[in-house]
Amino acid sequence: MNGDVEMTDASGNEKVAILDAGAQYGKVIDRRVRELSIETIMLPLDTSPDVLRSKNVRAVIVSGGPGSVYEKDSPNWHPELMHSGLPIFGICYGMQLMNRDSKGCVTSGMSREDGQFKVQLELSSPLYSGLNKEEDFLLTHADVCLQVGDGVQINAKVGETIVGVENREKKLYGVQFHPEVDLSPKGIDLFKNFLLNIAGCQQNFDLGSRETECIAEIQAKCGATNKVLCLVSGGVDSSVCCALLHKAIGVERVVAVHIDNGFLRKNESETVKESLENIDLKLHVVNESHRFYHATTRTPVRHGQNTVNVEIGPLNIVTAPEEKRKIIGDTFIKVFEDVLSILKLDVETTLLAQGTLRPDLIESASHLASSNADTIKTHHNDTELVRQLREKGRVIEPLKDFHKDEVRQIGRDLGLPEQLVERHPFPGPGLAVRLLCAEEKFCCKDFSDISNTLNFIVNFAQALSKPHPLMNKIQQTLSTTDSEILRSITSKQKYTSTLLPIKTVGVQGDCRTYSYVAALSSDDEPCWESLMQFAKIIPKLCPVNRVTYVFGGSVKHPVQEITRTTLTVNVLKTLRQVDFLANKVLSETGAVKQITQMPVVLIPVHFDIDPVSRDPVCQRSVVLRPFLTNDFMTGVAAQPGKDVPLEVVHKMVNSIKTVPGISRVLYDLTSKPPGTTEWE
């Protein structure tokens, strides 16, 4: 979409334009600017300076994105933008565009950088006014600026890596890190400095009432007579959506339906029905577990120059996470259409309401959120059938511009009980995407090298005295700081590393990754601070997006086979029970209030099988993923002993081990990025 087709804005209001390069965090930038009482407008990356001026744009922010600026078909901005006189703040991909077009050098780096880093700032830069010489910011990229261009100065570094540039005369500023996310605590100061002090923007925009905006949208969409069928899972998003609908068009025009897809938690439907009826929300419960279990759908697949629709499923034998999500999402729509008939609702005058949030659309690469974003995972509320209904004007999603914390505040404003508002998120596909399915192990040709590299990292101090080509590569790639950290933590305690032959979903540099899991273990009680450091460093050096700790002593044998796993009734029953036990401990100890959410994942890994034995590979392992986040776009693993009591963690582990068929319990140490919150 070219920005030149945009209509002129006659409002006269001064704005900041956010040009979208496909960032996972584009809407978070928008939110940060609006929180400073400055109006924003999100536009395509190639929007021309003339169009920007016609929209009364005072300054420009260019987002990050999954592309590389030196690749032929990567997204590009308008060639005259840098010469337009408009102040520009380039974030990640935006900085690389700025440096490239200043005749600087941008290339692929030797390693990835994903996570919080200490950034050394040049405090003479007006961009960093009021900050300390060293601040924590989120970096997530693989490309680097080797050399700055004409008129450009370096104003920030991580070690020797350039992560900040500027041309003060032209008011051009770029950073390789992401100031918009929660993992960059002082990021808001950069936006203040750029927008207020450098660009001279006025703080005259009123955020207004989110609730009022939502109600107005619902009333406009529904008109005077249309009814709405609202799909309610029992989570905060769909419950707030339903409450907004009631307030906007009245209870008699809203039909709330809860669909049991067979992948819910233990006693979930009964709990949801009871909790919602306690707030006078009448709920129809539809049990379609059998239908979901055997469901199929059709998906477009490229064959040469043609695209054909291929049937995938049934769900109970599917292993690929994206296929599982698509089948479940499309089946929800098919059930929705059947429920219309059962409840005798007019298809033409009944809309579908969903509690879709902005992160759902961004991760699904919906055009509603971005035209350049990479698909991280297809959310069940943004599958192809949902998009077809949207095009027909039959879907209403009043929360689509908001993040989780904003929705919770709307819920409080509506008077919903705190127990419902603060409920931990649970994915629409439920346990189906918390059960990793596989028919065979994942083992690429570099598996042995990756495994050896991982071993050298967790035994870094000892490996320094044993020259090896892989060790030499590690030392060349490591920063001085990371090298010192590894030397320190590996000289104090011995850890064992195991590369698991399974794949999980991650997000790195605004792109989807699908890669290995690193599992660390020890015979002694681990230092959790050291493990968190491992989780930051290992993904830079190895193609993994998860780093975990395995309870139960050192893992002595490599995992050479996996337990064949699909969505069978018995395996789901096992996951349902371990999820129930883990969350019961979390609730009874009060630790549930200390974390944002805790996915409990079942993986097809049977540890402690001696390769020379004939013991069957038949058990599975459990992963705990206690997670901390505010914006639900970035976040960190909850550190035992700091964010969640260590005795609570051990109590969960011991409780889970009572379930038959469980080999080991693991703890996910990974931040987002590089690992997504959910494993699939």
Side-chain angles (χ1 to χ4, degrees), residues 21 65-69 71 74-75 93 96 143 372 509-511:
S68 295
V69 297
E71 291 179 351
S74 60
Y93 191 84
Q96 293 164 4
D143 295 342
N372 294 310
D510 290 301
C511 293

Side-chain angles (χ1 to χ4, degrees), residues 179-455:
E180 69 271 27
V181 300
D182 285 346
L183 293 186
S184 298
K186 293 294 184 70
I188 191 65
D189 294 283
L190 271 67
F191 287 109
K192 286 180 182 176
N193 289 334
F194 173 72
L195 295 170
L196 304 182
N197 303 334
I198 295 170
C201 296
Q202 300 299 308
Q203 293 177 284
N204 53 14
F205 174 70
D206 183 7
L207 278 170
S209 168
R210 297 182 180 96
E211 180 186 329
T212 301
E213 292 174 4
C214 291
I215 288 174
E217 178 185 344
I218 291 169
Q219 291 172 340
K221 187 93 174 180
C222 295
T225 59
N226 285 342
K227 288 190 174 183
V228 178
L229 192 155
C230 184
L231 294 181
V232 182
S233 68
V236 61
D237 308 332
S238 58
S239 298
V240 169
C241 178
C242 197
L244 282 169
L245 290 164
H246 279 189
K247 187 167 183 178
I249 61 175
V251 177
E252 65 282 354
R253 292 172 60 192
V254 180
V255 180
V257 175
H258 171 76
I259 299 172
D260 183 347
N261 60 9
F263 305 117
L264 300 180
R265 285 172 162 160
K266 196 171 185 177
N267 304 322
E268 181 85 351
S269 290
E270 296 88 340
T271 302
V272 169
K273 183 174 175 62
E274 182 180 346
S275 65
L276 294 181
E277 286 181 345
N278 285 340
I279 58 172
D280 298 323
L281 197 160
K282 184 179 179 182
L283 191 68
H284 297 271
V285 177
V286 180
N287 190 329
E288 290 285 351
S289 55
H290 181 79
R291 180 171 181 177
F292 274 88
Y293 191 70
H294 297 281
T296 63
T297 194
R298 303 191 73 82
T299 188
V301 175
R302 292 281 296 178
H303 279 285
Q305 299 297 315
N306 300 318
T307 299
V308 296
N309 283 323
V310 176
E311 185 175 73
I312 54 174
L315 182 58
N316 59 10
I317 66 168
V318 168
T319 59
E322 273 294 278
E323 291 186 358
K324 287 196 283 187
R325 287 179 172 274
K326 288 176 180 177
I327 292 171
I328 291 170
D330 285 349
T331 304
F332 268 120
I333 296 304
K334 294 171 185 175
V335 172
F336 155 71
E337 292 173 338
D338 287 350
V339 169
L340 289 179
S341 176
I342 293 169
L343 297 179
K344 295 181 171 55
L345 296 170
D346 188 343
V347 173
E348 299 301 321
T349 60
T350 304
L351 304 178
L352 166 67
Q354 299 189 132
T356 309
L357 303 192
R358 175 59 47 163
D360 302 346
L361 297 174
I362 294 171
E363 291 187 331
S364 297
S366 169
H367 73 276
L368 295 179
S370 173
S371 57
N372 294 310
D374 198 47
T375 300
I376 306 303
K377 57 186 178 185
T378 301
H379 283 255
H380 71 285
N381 48 13
D382 193 38
T383 63
E384 188 59 35
L385 289 185
V386 175
R387 294 179 182 185
Q388 290 174 15
L389 283 178
R390 281 200 197 105
E391 290 176 2
K392 297 175 182 178
R394 292 187 58 199
V395 180
I396 181 164
E397 297 164 301
L399 303 174
K400 64 183 178 299
D401 284 330
F402 300 123
H403 288 80
K404 183 75 70 175
D405 59 322
E406 296 174 296
V407 173
R408 284 183 167 140
Q409 187 55 52
I410 295 173
R412 294 187 187 96
D413 294 342
L414 288 167
L416 297 182
E418 196 68 12
Q419 182 181 4
L420 179 57
V421 170
E422 288 297 330
R423 192 177 186 214
H424 280 191
F426 186 66
L431 300 179
V433 293
R434 290 186 174 175
L435 173 56
L436 266 65
C437 297
E439 293 185 343
E440 58 185 10
K441 65 181 180 180
F442 170 59
C443 191
C444 70
K445 61 182 177 64
D446 296 326
F447 186 88
S448 180
D449 281 349
I450 299 168
S451 183
N452 288 333
T453 300
L454 185 59
N455 182 57

Side-chain angles (χ1 to χ4, degrees), residues 641-657:
K642 176 185 174 184
D643 303 310
V644 58
L646 192 55
E647 58 269 24
V648 172
V649 175
H650 284 302
K651 191 172 182 179
M652 286 193 290
V653 172
N654 291 332
S655 183
I656 289 169
K657 286 165 62 177

